[in-house]
Tab-separated table of all heavy atoms in Angstrom:
chain	number	residue	atom	x	y	z
A	29	LYS	N	23.281	-7.155	-0.200
A	29	LYS	CA	22.973	-5.944	0.619
A	29	LYS	C	24.175	-4.931	0.551
A	29	LYS	O	23.961	-3.799	0.306
A	29	LYS	CB	22.744	-6.348	2.123
A	29	LYS	CG	22.338	-5.101	2.955
A	29	LYS	CD	22.357	-5.433	4.415
A	29	LYS	CE	23.686	-5.437	5.038
A	29	LYS	NZ	24.405	-4.275	5.292
A	30	ASP	N	25.345	-5.457	0.752
A	30	ASP	CA	26.544	-4.584	0.678
A	30	ASP	C	26.664	-3.881	-0.667
A	30	ASP	O	26.960	-2.735	-0.709
A	30	ASP	CB	27.784	-5.385	1.052
A	30	ASP	CG	27.879	-5.843	2.466
A	30	ASP	OD1	27.139	-5.360	3.312
A	30	ASP	OD2	28.784	-6.705	2.758
A	31	LYS	N	26.446	-4.662	-1.697
A	31	LYS	CA	26.544	-4.033	-3.014
A	31	LYS	C	25.365	-3.107	-3.299
A	31	LYS	O	25.700	-2.040	-3.889
A	31	LYS	CB	26.529	-5.184	-4.102
A	31	LYS	CG	26.785	-4.731	-5.534
A	31	LYS	CD	28.182	-4.436	-5.847
A	31	LYS	CE	28.385	-3.999	-7.264
A	31	LYS	NZ	28.832	-5.041	-8.185
A	32	ALA	N	24.232	-3.488	-2.893
A	32	ALA	CA	23.050	-2.614	-3.165
A	32	ALA	C	23.216	-1.230	-2.490
A	32	ALA	O	22.683	-0.256	-2.949
A	32	ALA	CB	21.793	-3.297	-2.876
A	33	PHE	N	23.778	-1.272	-1.248
A	33	PHE	CA	23.790	-0.133	-0.493
A	33	PHE	C	25.127	0.613	-0.527
A	33	PHE	O	25.470	1.480	0.276
A	33	PHE	CB	23.354	-0.381	0.956
A	33	PHE	CG	21.841	-0.570	1.004
A	33	PHE	CD1	21.375	-1.835	1.047
A	33	PHE	CD2	20.997	0.453	0.954
A	33	PHE	CE1	20.029	-2.061	1.112
A	33	PHE	CE2	19.588	0.213	0.903
A	33	PHE	CZ	19.209	-1.108	1.055
A	34	SER	N	26.091	0.125	-1.370
A	34	SER	CA	27.343	0.760	-1.523
A	34	SER	C	27.128	2.124	-2.147
A	34	SER	O	26.217	2.312	-3.025
A	34	SER	CB	28.359	-0.052	-2.342
A	34	SER	OG	27.950	-0.136	-3.655
A	35	ALA	N	28.036	3.081	-1.942
A	35	ALA	CA	27.951	4.354	-2.609
A	35	ALA	C	27.930	4.257	-4.185
A	35	ALA	O	27.194	4.970	-4.789
A	35	ALA	CB	29.063	5.248	-2.122
A	36	GLY	N	28.738	3.412	-4.636
A	36	GLY	CA	28.823	3.203	-6.132
A	36	GLY	C	27.482	2.772	-6.780
A	36	GLY	O	27.184	3.071	-7.895
A	37	THR	N	26.673	1.996	-5.996
A	37	THR	CA	25.403	1.485	-6.547
A	37	THR	C	24.252	2.302	-6.007
A	37	THR	O	23.414	2.697	-6.842
A	37	THR	CB	25.205	0.000	-6.138
A	37	THR	OG1	26.364	-0.736	-6.604
A	37	THR	CG2	23.947	-0.575	-6.684
A	38	PHE	N	24.205	2.539	-4.807
A	38	PHE	CA	23.051	3.205	-4.175
A	38	PHE	C	22.765	4.579	-4.793
A	38	PHE	O	21.589	4.972	-5.018
A	38	PHE	CB	23.203	3.365	-2.667
A	38	PHE	CG	21.983	3.735	-1.979
A	38	PHE	CD1	20.872	2.857	-1.948
A	38	PHE	CD2	21.851	4.880	-1.302
A	38	PHE	CE1	19.682	3.244	-1.288
A	38	PHE	CE2	20.741	5.252	-0.640
A	38	PHE	CZ	19.612	4.388	-0.664
A	39	PHE	N	23.755	5.248	-5.110
A	39	PHE	CA	23.600	6.618	-5.807
A	39	PHE	C	23.610	6.539	-7.317
A	39	PHE	O	23.652	7.561	-8.027
A	39	PHE	CB	24.699	7.627	-5.225
A	39	PHE	CG	24.457	7.766	-3.773
A	39	PHE	CD1	25.412	7.313	-2.890
A	39	PHE	CD2	23.344	8.423	-3.273
A	39	PHE	CE1	25.227	7.556	-1.492
A	39	PHE	CE2	23.176	8.571	-1.971
A	39	PHE	CZ	24.111	8.101	-0.989
A	40	HIS	N	23.747	5.328	-7.853
A	40	HIS	CA	23.688	5.198	-9.350
A	40	HIS	C	22.241	4.891	-9.660
A	40	HIS	O	21.824	3.802	-9.651
A	40	HIS	CB	24.627	4.093	-9.723
A	40	HIS	CG	24.800	4.092	-11.255
A	40	HIS	ND1	24.018	3.272	-12.097
A	40	HIS	CD2	25.608	4.602	-12.112
A	40	HIS	CE1	24.379	3.430	-13.334
A	40	HIS	NE2	25.405	4.260	-13.368
A	41	ILE	N	21.538	5.828	-10.141
A	41	ILE	CA	20.077	5.764	-10.382
A	41	ILE	C	19.615	4.706	-11.283
A	41	ILE	O	18.668	4.015	-11.143
A	41	ILE	CB	19.467	7.120	-10.841
A	41	ILE	CG1	17.934	7.112	-10.723
A	41	ILE	CG2	19.933	7.502	-12.129
A	41	ILE	CD1	17.362	6.907	-9.413
A	42	PHE	N	20.544	4.430	-12.372
A	42	PHE	CA	20.161	3.405	-13.304
A	42	PHE	C	20.244	1.981	-12.693
A	42	PHE	O	19.468	1.096	-12.975
A	42	PHE	CB	21.029	3.475	-14.603
A	42	PHE	CG	20.866	4.715	-15.299
A	42	PHE	CD1	21.779	5.753	-15.393
A	42	PHE	CD2	19.608	4.998	-15.984
A	42	PHE	CE1	21.620	6.920	-15.971
A	42	PHE	CE2	19.389	6.161	-16.642
A	42	PHE	CZ	20.417	7.196	-16.722
A	43	ALA	N	21.272	1.817	-11.835
A	43	ALA	CA	21.378	0.528	-11.193
A	43	ALA	C	20.285	0.204	-10.216
A	43	ALA	O	19.716	-0.849	-10.184
A	43	ALA	CB	22.750	0.456	-10.355
A	44	VAL	N	19.946	1.253	-9.465
A	44	VAL	CA	18.806	1.162	-8.492
A	44	VAL	C	17.496	0.886	-9.241
A	44	VAL	O	16.748	-0.035	-8.862
A	44	VAL	CB	18.706	2.402	-7.587
A	44	VAL	CG1	17.409	2.314	-6.714
A	44	VAL	CG2	19.976	2.507	-6.728
A	45	ASN	N	17.254	1.636	-10.270
A	45	ASN	CA	16.050	1.489	-11.100
A	45	ASN	C	15.981	0.037	-11.680
A	45	ASN	O	14.909	-0.608	-11.590
A	45	ASN	CB	15.967	2.561	-12.119
A	45	ASN	CG	14.625	2.557	-12.852
A	45	ASN	OD1	13.579	2.524	-12.195
A	45	ASN	ND2	14.713	2.522	-14.200
A	46	SER	N	17.049	-0.414	-12.207
A	46	SER	CA	17.128	-1.755	-12.790
A	46	SER	C	16.852	-2.813	-11.724
A	46	SER	O	16.067	-3.793	-11.936
A	46	SER	CB	18.494	-2.042	-13.451
A	46	SER	OG	18.557	-3.320	-13.912
A	47	LEU	N	17.437	-2.671	-10.552
A	47	LEU	CA	17.185	-3.607	-9.464
A	47	LEU	C	15.717	-3.571	-9.069
A	47	LEU	O	15.165	-4.652	-8.820
A	47	LEU	CB	18.097	-3.298	-8.267
A	47	LEU	CG	17.984	-4.214	-7.059
A	47	LEU	CD1	18.261	-5.598	-7.485
A	47	LEU	CD2	18.905	-3.706	-5.979
A	48	LEU	N	15.167	-2.463	-8.784
A	48	LEU	CA	13.731	-2.335	-8.476
A	48	LEU	C	12.806	-2.928	-9.517
A	48	LEU	O	11.839	-3.559	-9.180
A	48	LEU	CB	13.374	-0.918	-8.078
A	48	LEU	CG	14.036	-0.355	-6.826
A	48	LEU	CD1	13.724	1.105	-6.680
A	48	LEU	CD2	13.672	-1.136	-5.547
A	49	ASN	N	13.047	-2.652	-10.753
A	49	ASN	CA	12.251	-3.265	-11.901
A	49	ASN	C	12.339	-4.776	-11.860
A	49	ASN	O	11.316	-5.429	-11.993
A	49	ASN	CB	12.639	-2.704	-13.208
A	49	ASN	CG	12.194	-1.321	-13.382
A	49	ASN	OD1	11.181	-0.826	-12.753
A	49	ASN	ND2	12.821	-0.592	-14.303
A	50	THR	N	13.509	-5.311	-11.591
A	50	THR	CA	13.734	-6.728	-11.660
A	50	THR	C	12.971	-7.289	-10.352
A	50	THR	O	12.294	-8.343	-10.617
A	50	THR	CB	15.219	-7.097	-11.450
A	50	THR	OG1	15.871	-6.618	-12.676
A	50	THR	CG2	15.469	-8.582	-11.335
A	51	LEU	N	13.141	-6.755	-9.267
A	51	LEU	CA	12.471	-7.292	-8.128
A	51	LEU	C	10.939	-7.168	-8.216
A	51	LEU	O	10.207	-8.044	-7.777
A	51	LEU	CB	13.001	-6.555	-6.816
A	51	LEU	CG	14.382	-6.875	-6.435
A	51	LEU	CD1	14.747	-6.130	-5.222
A	51	LEU	CD2	14.648	-8.359	-6.247
A	52	GLY	N	10.456	-6.169	-8.845
A	52	GLY	CA	9.018	-5.949	-8.951
A	52	GLY	C	8.366	-7.056	-9.687
A	52	GLY	O	7.186	-7.390	-9.394
A	53	GLU	N	9.047	-7.662	-10.635
A	53	GLU	CA	8.528	-8.726	-11.388
A	53	GLU	C	8.632	-10.158	-10.701
A	53	GLU	O	7.901	-11.063	-11.061
A	53	GLU	CB	9.293	-8.882	-12.733
A	53	GLU	CG	9.247	-7.698	-13.704
A	53	GLU	CD	10.232	-7.668	-14.684
A	53	GLU	OE1	11.058	-8.659	-14.905
A	53	GLU	OE2	10.385	-6.633	-15.450
């Protein structure tokens, strides 16, 4: 949670997109 919502990750669109794609599967 801390890493996913940190400024470095949360605003990095590629990281968020990769995480959501992974979770979707």
Side-chain angles (χ1 to χ4, degrees):
K29 181 192 79 76
D30 290 348
K31 181 80 178 263
F33 289 100
S34 69
T37 303
F38 192 63
F39 295 110
H40 189 270
I41 191 64
F42 296 110
V44 172
N45 188 48
S46 176
L47 180 60
L48 292 176
N49 285 338
T50 298
L51 292 179
E53 299 166 3

